[in-house]
Amino acid sequence: MTLKKNIVLIGFMGTGKTVTGKVLARRLKRPFVELDREIVKRAGKSIPQIFADDGEPHFRKLESREARRAARRRGIVVSTGGGIVLKGANVRALRKNGILVYLTASPETIFRRTAGNRGRPLLRENPFQNIKKLLKFRRPLYRRAADITVGTNGLTDVQTAEIILKRLKKWE
Ligand code: S3P
């Protein structure tokens, strides 16, 4: 692929941004950068720990910093955290040299994929209610940011990656 723009996966928790991003990176022979992982590495603690010790606003600052860092690079595949669209500046930075691919899934699919995982502080209590509430608020933000939208219900990460690769051909 001649395309030098970054490929940036956005979407709600449990839509498969990380697994799909890894497949895409492998297929495209590009480096893979997961913003959440970069945050954890630099902070030296887990996401739940950052939320507990420093609060969500601090987490959002760290997230913006990593988004800016990733946006300065070229030719990478980036997977973002579900809240990346909460700040317009994050989206603007990532768009500058990136194609934003929005992965969607139904609340039921998201619930199923995230159940039992303790790593997401926003889904600790009443996860299904919270998924629906957060989705309602964020959906317009994801939609506005997206260059490409791909539904992932019932698809494997490999199938999702293949759809994305086809859709990216238009951008070459
Ligand atoms: C969040 C999503 C998480 C992580 C943090 C907050 C969110 O990433 O950044 O728990 O606000 O949607 P994933 O989308 O990779 O689960």
Side-chain angles (χ1 to χ4, degrees):
M1 181 182 259
T2 51
L3 193 68
K4 266 295 153 235
K5 283 199 155 195
N6 295 336
I7 297 168
V8 182
L9 297 168
I10 64 167
F12 202 76
M13 295 172 261
T15 53
K17 301 178 296 284
T18 299
V19 278
T20 307
K22 283 185 183 162
V23 177
L24 276 178
R26 208 160 49 228
R27 295 279 176 95
L28 295 168
K29 300 192 171 53
R30 288 174 171 223
F32 174 65
V33 176
E34 187 192 356
L35 297 189
D36 278 347
R37 202 161 159 262
E38 298 300 306
I39 295 167
V40 168
K41 258 201 296 189
R42 227 176 292 272
K45 50 185 165 183
S46 69
I47 289 176
Q49 207 58 53
I50 300 173
F51 269 70
D53 293 350
D54 316 306
E56 184 175 346
H58 182 70
F59 173 79
R60 297 298 172 201
K61 276 189 200 141
L62 302 182
E63 183 173 50
S64 295
R65 199 173 301 161
E66 294 307 332
R68 286 195 297 274
R69 264 201 194 97
R72 284 198 291 270
R73 298 179 62 182
R74 289 263 182 294
I76 59 174
V77 175
V78 184
S79 113
T80 62
I84 200 77
V85 292
L86 295 174
K87 289 191 185 166
N90 294 344
V91 174
R92 284 193 294 278
L94 290 164
R95 278 202 86 122
K96 243 182 241 158
N97 63 339
I99 299 172
L100 269 58
V101 179
Y102 168 32
L103 301 185
T104 70
S106 66
E108 290 75 13
T109 300
I110 290 168
F111 179 71
R112 199 162 8 88
R113 288 185 188 154
T114 55
N117 182 325
R118 306 286 296 157
R120 294 182 170 101
L122 298 179
L123 301 183
R124 282 259 162 108
E125 327 243 299
N126 304 321
F128 193 58
Q129 292 311 316
N130 273 332
I131 288 167
K132 284 195 289 191
K133 195 176 78 191
L134 290 168
L135 260 181
K136 198 166 172 197
F137 180 77
R138 291 182 182 179
R139 227 182 247 122
L141 304 177
Y142 294 127
R143 285 196 182 132
R144 199 175 314 143
D147 294 305
I148 294 172
T149 303
V150 176
T152 69
N153 284 328
L155 297 186
T156 64
D157 44 354
V158 172
Q159 287 170 325
T160 304
E162 270 158 10
I163 295 171
I164 295 170
L165 288 170
K166 269 193 213 129
R167 304 273 299 274
L168 283 171
K169 290 222 168 81
K170 269 198 268 167
W171 290 76
E172 282 191 67

